Amino acid sequence: MSTALVGSNAQASFVQGLQCRECGNQIPKAPVHVCEFCFGPLEVTYDYAAIGKVLTRALIESRPKTMWRYAELLPLDGPPAVGLATGMTPLLRADRLAKKLGVRELWVKNDAVNYPTLSFKDRVVSVAVSKAREFGLDVVACASTGNLANATAAQAAAAGMPAVILIPFDLEPAKVLGTIVYGARVFAVKGTYDDVNRLCSEIAGKYGWGFVNVNLRPFYGEGSKSYGFEIAEQLGWKTPAHVVVPMAGGALVTKIGKAFAEFEKLGLLASGSRKAKIHGAQAAGCSPIVDMVLENREQIRPVKTPTSIAKSLAIGNPADGFYARQTIIDSGGWAAKPDDPEIIAAMRLLAETEGIFAETAGGVTLGATIRLINDGKIGRDDGPIVVCVTGNGMKTQDPLVGQLPEPVSIGPRLSDFDEAQSKLKS
Ligand SMILES: [Zn+2]
């Protein structure tokens, strides 16, 4: 393994251990995700004083353009085992889309082109599979709504580890095929994602496998911070005025908040940086976290049967829902839930104005952004607005079937083309 990819002067690890988010109980690093005293979720803690002594903007900028340029703030003890090319996806200024929406400055953070499986899940899985190796676990596994299945299967293959993937039975065919192709064993569970997740907790306890989003969850989640780090670095070491984030389990919202806070704590942000308002997006057909924000309550009301086309966000009982809401409220952000026609319209708008084909979740995020602008929650002149695109439209084409114009059928002669072309013009 070449250490050059993470930078020769990257320290081994600044991780102190795990700490319960509820009662503060501290334990050493281990593949566990809940507190033994109160069942609260465990969070990785770092020695920020030590990190602050070594990590500078210049050091980060000197490293290869991958998520590992922030190695000190990621929870591995050594170089990553997989995902060495993951991250540092484009942050694109979207002026044509901005004009359509009537805002001054809009950006798209495009993880639809992340490596290797075209979604932000490549980040979390790079960390989790590497961590499974460090813990000496033999098998990696996950409960997934699709993108995580693709990422886990691919990275497990790259690490030479067997993968066991559990998904709801009704996932998009492209996501199922794009998992099995890597040689993973896939179980399609007759139930919702929440049923799948519950089953995985039981399997993790019994089989001792490394479930990336169950017993490895504290480490896995930290990989999402790289998405937030990159946004700030790519904006010139500044956080945006607004960032709109899709929510399934709710972890990405909290980790973007943590990423911005860590950069601020370490003095890595340029002077005069504003505090970013973090907004959450879910589809109207499954919006348990958005509803907590809109209805101003702290308790989740789980959605029994998600109905949206945005299957990758269809988690009815989100693990990080409580904390996602807290992050949103503390930042001064808000939330919105576009319906399926708005989601499809937003997917088309993004593709037609910026040439970016996002998956349905991207349509949810842009649809929510449009609502937030129209409701005045995002000011048109507020400064940089970042729309988070976290997955690729090639994986979720089914909802667009029948929604787009058909190709024009012609014969192979110039006269056929001329005739058809003149008809189209008229
Ligand atoms: Zn606890």
Side-chain angles (χ1 to χ4, degrees), residues 38-327:
C38 75
F39 299 104
L42 298 172
E43 178 96 3
V44 177
T45 57
Y46 298 84
D47 183 350
Y48 291 113
I51 295 173
K53 286 190 184 125
V54 297
L55 193 62
T56 62
R57 296 205 290 253
L59 177 61
I60 294 169
E61 286 167 349
S62 74
R63 292 175 174 164
K65 291 193 182 317
T66 74
M67 64 182 280
W68 303 106
R69 64 209 264 113
Y70 315 105
E72 287 84 350
L73 292 164
L74 295 171
L76 299 187
D77 293 339
V82 291
L84 277 75
T86 300
M88 211 56 187
T89 54
L91 179 75
L92 302 151
R93 182 143 183 174
D95 285 338
R96 287 168 50 77
L97 180 58
K99 202 173 166 197
K100 282 266 185 199
L101 304 189
V103 296
R104 188 157 55 88
E105 188 180 343
L106 189 74
W107 300 77
V108 175
K109 176 61 175 169
N110 189 11
D111 262 20
V113 292
N114 204 3
Y115 182 86
T117 65
L118 310 176
S119 88
F120 92 103
K121 294 292 188 186
D122 290 323
R123 300 172 185 274
V124 286
V125 169
S126 295
V127 172
V129 172
S130 297
K131 202 68 207 172
R133 264 282 183 75
E134 289 184 355
F135 283 132
L137 301 169
D138 297 326
V139 177
V140 289
C142 70
S144 175
T145 57
N147 283 321
L148 182 59
N150 300 162
T152 302
Q155 304 276 38
M161 298 170 79
V164 178
I165 313 281
L166 291 95
I167 52 174
F169 70 103
D170 60 348
L171 275 198
E172 296 95 339
K175 285 190 173 165
V176 179
L177 187 147
T179 303
I180 295 172
V181 71
Y182 299 109
R185 178 166 297 167
V186 176
F187 293 90
V189 180
K190 293 191 187 86
T192 64
Y193 174 81
D194 293 305
D195 297 324
V196 176
N197 200 35
R198 217 167 14 248
L199 175 61
C200 284
S201 294
E202 291 173 2
I203 297 170
K206 181 168 178 183
Y207 286 78
W209 294 339
F211 270 86
V212 300
N213 56 340
V214 183
N215 51 345
L216 293 170
R217 190 173 181 86
F219 305 94
Y220 155 97
E222 290 290 289
S224 289
K225 289 190 310 188
S226 63
Y227 190 84
F229 295 148
E230 289 172 19
I231 290 172
E233 182 183 347
Q234 289 169 312
L235 283 174
W237 299 100
K238 287 180 176 163
T239 47
H242 300 274
V243 56
V244 188
V245 187
M247 301 187 293
L252 183 57
V253 156
T254 68
K255 295 299 180 179
I256 288 175
K258 187 175 180 184
F260 291 167
E262 285 182 340
F263 265 17
E264 189 176 9
K265 191 183 324 206
L266 293 165
L268 293 170
L269 294 178
S271 59
S273 282
R274 58 179 78 73
K275 187 171 158 57
K277 291 187 178 177
I278 302 174
H279 306 276
Q282 291 188 302
C286 183
S287 57
I289 308 175
V290 169
D291 291 340
M292 290 167 77
V293 175
L294 300 185
E295 295 163 22
N296 190 26
R297 59 179 154 78
E298 292 191 346
Q299 280 73 40
I300 291 188
R301 281 191 206 127
V303 173
K304 283 224 169 65
T305 318
T307 55
S308 171
I309 56 170
K311 292 181 193 291
S312 66
L313 303 182
I315 297 182
N317 192 9
D320 289 293
F322 174 82
Y323 303 104
R325 175 194 170 271
Q326 203 168 49
T327 299

Side-chain angles (χ1 to χ4, degrees), residues 19-25 34-42:
Q19 184 172 28
C20 174
R21 289 191 70 150
E22 291 302 322
C23 75
N25 174 36
V34 287
C35 173
E36 61 183 327
F37 297 129
C38 75
F39 299 104
L42 298 172

